[in-house]
PDB file of all heavy atoms in Angstrom:
ATOM      1  N   ILE A 145      -5.161 103.043  65.160  1.00  0.00           N
ATOM      2  CA  ILE A 145      -4.026 103.388  64.353  1.00  0.00           C
ATOM      3  C   ILE A 145      -2.902 103.832  65.292  1.00  0.00           C
ATOM      4  O   ILE A 145      -3.097 104.763  66.077  1.00  0.00           O
ATOM      5  CB  ILE A 145      -4.311 104.494  63.354  1.00  0.00           C
ATOM      6  CG1 ILE A 145      -5.385 104.036  62.356  1.00  0.00           C
ATOM      7  CG2 ILE A 145      -2.992 104.911  62.629  1.00  0.00           C
ATOM      8  CD1 ILE A 145      -5.802 105.169  61.312  1.00  0.00           C
ATOM      9  N   HIS A 146      -1.762 103.173  65.225  1.00  0.00           N
ATOM     10  CA  HIS A 146      -0.551 103.645  65.884  1.00  0.00           C
ATOM     11  C   HIS A 146      -0.014 104.921  65.164  1.00  0.00           C
ATOM     12  O   HIS A 146       0.417 104.703  64.012  1.00  0.00           O
ATOM     13  CB  HIS A 146       0.486 102.554  66.070  1.00  0.00           C
ATOM     14  CG  HIS A 146       0.194 101.446  66.923  1.00  0.00           C
ATOM     15  ND1 HIS A 146       0.139 101.547  68.295  1.00  0.00           N
ATOM     16  CD2 HIS A 146      -0.317 100.226  66.627  1.00  0.00           C
ATOM     17  CE1 HIS A 146      -0.223 100.465  68.851  1.00  0.00           C
ATOM     18  NE2 HIS A 146      -0.577  99.585  67.891  1.00  0.00           N
ATOM     19  N   LEU A 147      -0.101 106.000  65.730  1.00  0.00           N
ATOM     20  CA  LEU A 147       0.073 107.242  64.959  1.00  0.00           C
ATOM     21  C   LEU A 147       1.492 107.605  64.677  1.00  0.00           C
ATOM     22  O   LEU A 147       2.390 107.294  65.465  1.00  0.00           O
ATOM     23  CB  LEU A 147      -0.658 108.449  65.692  1.00  0.00           C
ATOM     24  CG  LEU A 147      -2.119 108.358  65.833  1.00  0.00           C
ATOM     25  CD1 LEU A 147      -2.606 109.394  66.790  1.00  0.00           C
ATOM     26  CD2 LEU A 147      -2.772 108.551  64.511  1.00  0.00           C
ATOM     27  N   PRO A 148       1.821 108.287  63.530  1.00  0.00           N
ATOM     28  CA  PRO A 148       3.138 108.699  63.239  1.00  0.00           C
ATOM     29  C   PRO A 148       3.599 109.804  64.160  1.00  0.00           C
ATOM     30  O   PRO A 148       2.781 110.399  64.915  1.00  0.00           O
ATOM     31  CB  PRO A 148       3.036 109.121  61.759  1.00  0.00           C
ATOM     32  CG  PRO A 148       1.677 109.574  61.576  1.00  0.00           C
ATOM     33  CD  PRO A 148       0.817 108.614  62.506  1.00  0.00           C
ATOM     34  N   MET A 149       4.890 110.243  64.039  1.00  0.00           N
ATOM     35  CA  MET A 149       5.455 111.149  64.999  1.00  0.00           C
ATOM     36  C   MET A 149       4.804 112.560  64.999  1.00  0.00           C
ATOM     37  O   MET A 149       4.761 113.213  65.984  1.00  0.00           O
ATOM     38  CB  MET A 149       6.992 111.262  64.777  1.00  0.00           C
ATOM     39  CG  MET A 149       7.742 110.111  65.237  1.00  0.00           C
ATOM     40  SD  MET A 149       7.555 109.636  66.937  1.00  0.00           S
ATOM     41  CE  MET A 149       8.235 111.106  67.712  1.00  0.00           C
ATOM     42  N   PRO A 150       4.344 113.067  63.887  1.00  0.00           N
ATOM     43  CA  PRO A 150       3.659 114.389  63.925  1.00  0.00           C
ATOM     44  C   PRO A 150       2.473 114.493  64.831  1.00  0.00           C
ATOM     45  O   PRO A 150       2.094 115.590  65.220  1.00  0.00           O
ATOM     46  CB  PRO A 150       3.271 114.634  62.424  1.00  0.00           C
ATOM     47  CG  PRO A 150       4.218 113.874  61.649  1.00  0.00           C
ATOM     48  CD  PRO A 150       4.469 112.579  62.490  1.00  0.00           C
ATOM     49  N   TYR A 151       1.927 113.360  65.295  1.00  0.00           N
ATOM     50  CA  TYR A 151       0.796 113.314  66.164  1.00  0.00           C
ATOM     51  C   TYR A 151       1.118 112.990  67.615  1.00  0.00           C
ATOM     52  O   TYR A 151       0.212 112.887  68.470  1.00  0.00           O
ATOM     53  CB  TYR A 151      -0.306 112.423  65.656  1.00  0.00           C
ATOM     54  CG  TYR A 151      -0.943 112.905  64.401  1.00  0.00           C
ATOM     55  CD1 TYR A 151      -0.395 112.578  63.129  1.00  0.00           C
ATOM     56  CD2 TYR A 151      -2.119 113.727  64.483  1.00  0.00           C
ATOM     57  CE1 TYR A 151      -0.878 112.999  61.942  1.00  0.00           C
ATOM     58  CE2 TYR A 151      -2.630 114.200  63.214  1.00  0.00           C
ATOM     59  CZ  TYR A 151      -2.074 113.894  61.989  1.00  0.00           C
ATOM     60  OH  TYR A 151      -2.612 114.280  60.830  1.00  0.00           O
ATOM     61  N   GLN A 152       2.327 112.866  67.883  1.00  0.00           N
ATOM     62  CA  GLN A 152       2.882 112.494  69.222  1.00  0.00           C
ATOM     63  C   GLN A 152       3.128 113.704  70.064  1.00  0.00           C
ATOM     64  O   GLN A 152       3.706 114.691  69.544  1.00  0.00           O
ATOM     65  CB  GLN A 152       4.135 111.560  69.191  1.00  0.00           C
ATOM     66  CG  GLN A 152       3.960 110.322  68.386  1.00  0.00           C
ATOM     67  CD  GLN A 152       2.889 109.319  69.017  1.00  0.00           C
ATOM     68  OE1 GLN A 152       2.684 109.320  70.204  1.00  0.00           O
ATOM     69  NE2 GLN A 152       2.197 108.620  68.204  1.00  0.00           N
ATOM     70  N   THR A 153       2.863 113.717  71.269  1.00  0.00           N
ATOM     71  CA  THR A 153       3.011 114.884  72.165  1.00  0.00           C
ATOM     72  C   THR A 153       4.451 114.903  72.779  1.00  0.00           C
ATOM     73  O   THR A 153       4.737 115.860  73.423  1.00  0.00           O
ATOM     74  CB  THR A 153       2.010 114.834  73.325  1.00  0.00           C
ATOM     75  OG1 THR A 153       2.082 113.656  74.082  1.00  0.00           O
ATOM     76  CG2 THR A 153       0.575 114.915  72.778  1.00  0.00           C
ATOM     77  N   SER A 154       5.231 113.872  72.644  1.00  0.00           N
ATOM     78  CA  SER A 154       6.517 113.756  73.097  1.00  0.00           C
ATOM     79  C   SER A 154       7.350 112.993  72.079  1.00  0.00           C
ATOM     80  O   SER A 154       6.931 112.179  71.337  1.00  0.00           O
ATOM     81  CB  SER A 154       6.562 113.021  74.437  1.00  0.00           C
ATOM     82  OG  SER A 154       7.894 112.708  74.842  1.00  0.00           O
ATOM     83  N   LEU A 155       8.702 113.341  72.057  1.00  0.00           N
ATOM     84  CA  LEU A 155       9.558 112.549  71.211  1.00  0.00           C
ATOM     85  C   LEU A 155       9.866 111.125  71.821  1.00  0.00           C
ATOM     86  O   LEU A 155      10.300 110.257  71.060  1.00  0.00           O
ATOM     87  CB  LEU A 155      10.949 113.300  71.123  1.00  0.00           C
ATOM     88  CG  LEU A 155      10.989 114.507  70.251  1.00  0.00           C
ATOM     89  CD1 LEU A 155      12.265 115.210  70.375  1.00  0.00           C
ATOM     90  CD2 LEU A 155      10.685 114.161  68.786  1.00  0.00           C
ATOM     91  N   GLY A 156       9.544 110.968  73.098  1.00  0.00           N
ATOM     92  CA  GLY A 156       9.806 109.619  73.678  1.00  0.00           C
ATOM     93  C   GLY A 156      11.228 109.244  73.955  1.00  0.00           C
ATOM     94  O   GLY A 156      11.620 108.121  74.169  1.00  0.00           O
ATOM     95  N   THR A 157      12.147 110.267  73.948  1.00  0.00           N
ATOM     96  CA  THR A 157      13.565 110.079  74.130  1.00  0.00           C
ATOM     97  C   THR A 157      14.048 110.682  75.374  1.00  0.00           C
ATOM     98  O   THR A 157      13.446 111.703  75.771  1.00  0.00           O
ATOM     99  CB  THR A 157      14.394 110.505  72.910  1.00  0.00           C
ATOM    100  OG1 THR A 157      14.255 111.935  72.794  1.00  0.00           O
ATOM    101  CG2 THR A 157      13.947 109.893  71.677  1.00  0.00           C
ATOM    102  N   VAL A 158      15.107 110.165  75.981  1.00  0.00           N
ATOM    103  CA  VAL A 158      15.790 110.866  77.112  1.00  0.00           C
ATOM    104  C   VAL A 158      17.027 111.474  76.454  1.00  0.00           C
ATOM    105  O   VAL A 158      17.833 110.790  75.908  1.00  0.00           O
ATOM    106  CB  VAL A 158      16.225 109.822  78.187  1.00  0.00           C
ATOM    107  CG1 VAL A 158      17.034 110.558  79.223  1.00  0.00           C
ATOM    108  CG2 VAL A 158      14.947 109.214  78.736  1.00  0.00           C
ATOM    109  N   ASP A 159      17.181 112.843  76.677  1.00  0.00           N
ATOM    110  CA  ASP A 159      18.242 113.621  76.005  1.00  0.00           C
ATOM    111  C   ASP A 159      19.122 114.356  76.989  1.00  0.00           C
ATOM    112  O   ASP A 159      18.632 114.878  77.965  1.00  0.00           O
ATOM    113  CB  ASP A 159      17.682 114.620  74.985  1.00  0.00           C
ATOM    114  CG  ASP A 159      16.860 114.009  73.876  1.00  0.00           C
ATOM    115  OD1 ASP A 159      16.788 112.792  73.815  1.00  0.00           O
ATOM    116  OD2 ASP A 159      16.313 114.803  73.044  1.00  0.00           O
ATOM    117  N   LEU A 160      20.372 114.438  76.654  1.00  0.00           N
ATOM    118  CA  LEU A 160      21.352 115.277  77.392  1.00  0.00           C
ATOM    119  C   LEU A 160      21.409 116.647  76.670  1.00  0.00           C
ATOM    120  O   LEU A 160      21.466 116.692  75.336  1.00  0.00           O
ATOM    121  CB  LEU A 160      22.732 114.635  77.302  1.00  0.00           C
ATOM    122  CG  LEU A 160      23.872 115.459  77.862  1.00  0.00           C
ATOM    123  CD1 LEU A 160      23.723 115.653  79.391  1.00  0.00           C
ATOM    124  CD2 LEU A 160      25.208 114.834  77.586  1.00  0.00           C
ATOM    125  N   VAL A 161      21.404 117.727  77.414  1.00  0.00           N
ATOM    126  CA  VAL A 161      21.528 119.033  76.754  1.00  0.00           C
ATOM    127  C   VAL A 161      22.795 119.725  77.316  1.00  0.00           C
ATOM    128  O   VAL A 161      22.963 119.823  78.567  1.00  0.00           O
ATOM    129  CB  VAL A 161      20.327 119.923  77.201  1.00  0.00           C
ATOM    130  CG1 VAL A 161      20.479 121.356  76.651  1.00  0.00           C
ATOM    131  CG2 VAL A 161      19.078 119.317  76.609  1.00  0.00           C
ATOM    132  N   LEU A 162      23.599 120.184  76.465  1.00  0.00           N
ATOM    133  CA  LEU A 162      24.768 121.017  76.857  1.00  0.00           C
ATOM    134  C   LEU A 162      24.855 122.332  75.987  1.00  0.00           C
ATOM    135  O   LEU A 162      24.591 122.308  74.797  1.00  0.00           O
ATOM    136  CB  LEU A 162      26.083 120.275  76.525  1.00  0.00           C
ATOM    137  CG  LEU A 162      26.304 118.907  77.225  1.00  0.00           C
ATOM    138  CD1 LEU A 162      27.458 118.125  76.672  1.00  0.00           C
ATOM    139  CD2 LEU A 162      26.479 119.096  78.739  1.00  0.00           C
ATOM    140  N   GLY A 163      25.170 123.428  76.667  1.00  0.00           N
ATOM    141  CA  GLY A 163      25.145 124.702  75.962  1.00  0.00           C
ATOM    142  C   GLY A 163      26.164 125.651  76.510  1.00  0.00           C
ATOM    143  O   GLY A 163      26.605 125.602  77.657  1.00  0.00           O
ATOM    144  N   LEU A 164      26.617 126.547  75.597  1.00  0.00           N
ATOM    145  CA  LEU A 164      27.582 127.570  76.032  1.00  0.00           C
ATOM    146  C   LEU A 164      27.032 128.881  75.427  1.00  0.00           C
ATOM    147  O   LEU A 164      26.834 129.029  74.176  1.00  0.00           O
ATOM    148  CB  LEU A 164      28.943 127.265  75.423  1.00  0.00           C
ATOM    149  CG  LEU A 164      30.129 128.225  75.815  1.00  0.00           C
ATOM    150  CD1 LEU A 164      30.341 128.183  77.365  1.00  0.00           C
ATOM    151  CD2 LEU A 164      31.408 127.806  75.120  1.00  0.00           C
ATOM    152  N   ASN A 165      26.835 129.878  76.271  1.00  0.00           N
ATOM    153  CA  ASN A 165      26.380 131.186  75.921  1.00  0.00           C
ATOM    154  C   ASN A 165      27.475 132.277  75.932  1.00  0.00           C
ATOM    155  O   ASN A 165      28.392 132.206  76.845  1.00  0.00           O
ATOM    156  CB  ASN A 165      25.295 131.673  76.943  1.00  0.00           C
ATOM    157  CG  ASN A 165      24.041 130.820  76.824  1.00  0.00           C
ATOM    158  OD1 ASN A 165      23.581 130.471  75.703  1.00  0.00           O
ATOM    159  ND2 ASN A 165      23.448 130.510  77.981  1.00  0.00           N
ATOM    160  N   TYR A 166      27.408 133.164  74.955  1.00  0.00           N
ATOM    161  CA  TYR A 166      28.323 134.338  74.957  1.00  0.00           C
ATOM    162  C   TYR A 166      27.481 135.584  74.849  1.00  0.00           C
ATOM    163  O   TYR A 166      26.506 135.554  74.060  1.00  0.00           O
ATOM    164  CB  TYR A 166      29.276 134.287  73.793  1.00  0.00           C
ATOM    165  CG  TYR A 166      30.328 133.142  73.775  1.00  0.00           C
ATOM    166  CD1 TYR A 166      29.991 131.967  73.336  1.00  0.00           C
ATOM    167  CD2 TYR A 166      31.661 133.432  74.280  1.00  0.00           C
ATOM    168  CE1 TYR A 166      30.947 130.902  73.330  1.00  0.00           C
ATOM    169  CE2 TYR A 166      32.568 132.404  74.326  1.00  0.00           C
ATOM    170  CZ  TYR A 166      32.186 131.158  73.822  1.00  0.00           C
ATOM    171  OH  TYR A 166      33.149 130.165  73.823  1.00  0.00           O
ATOM    172  N   SER A 167      27.754 136.581  75.597  1.00  0.00           N
ATOM    173  CA  SER A 167      27.060 137.875  75.424  1.00  0.00           C
ATOM    174  C   SER A 167      27.954 139.015  75.706  1.00  0.00           C
ATOM    175  O   SER A 167      28.951 138.982  76.487  1.00  0.00           O
ATOM    176  CB  SER A 167      25.839 137.953  76.467  1.00  0.00           C
ATOM    177  OG  SER A 167      26.327 137.886  77.786  1.00  0.00           O
ATOM    178  N   ARG A 168      27.625 140.075  74.940  1.00  0.00           N
ATOM    179  CA  ARG A 168      28.310 141.353  75.132  1.00  0.00           C
ATOM    180  C   ARG A 168      27.280 142.480  74.808  1.00  0.00           C
ATOM    181  O   ARG A 168      26.827 142.648  73.709  1.00  0.00           O
ATOM    182  CB  ARG A 168      29.573 141.504  74.250  1.00  0.00           C
ATOM    183  CG  ARG A 168      30.314 142.831  74.405  1.00  0.00           C
ATOM    184  CD  ARG A 168      31.503 142.843  73.556  1.00  0.00           C
ATOM    185  NE  ARG A 168      32.305 144.109  73.724  1.00  0.00           N
ATOM    186  CZ  ARG A 168      33.435 144.387  73.171  1.00  0.00           C
ATOM    187  NH1 ARG A 168      33.923 143.630  72.229  1.00  0.00           N
ATOM    188  NH2 ARG A 168      34.022 145.534  73.370  1.00  0.00           N
TER     189      ARG A 168
END
Side-chain angles (χ1 to χ4, degrees):
I145 297 176
H146 292 283
L147 294 170
M149 289 302 297
Y151 292 87
Q152 301 297 330
T153 59
S154 168
L155 287 173
T157 62
V158 177
D159 296 359
L160 173 69
V161 175
L162 299 173
L164 186 62
N165 294 318
Y166 293 85
S167 65
R168 182 177 181 181

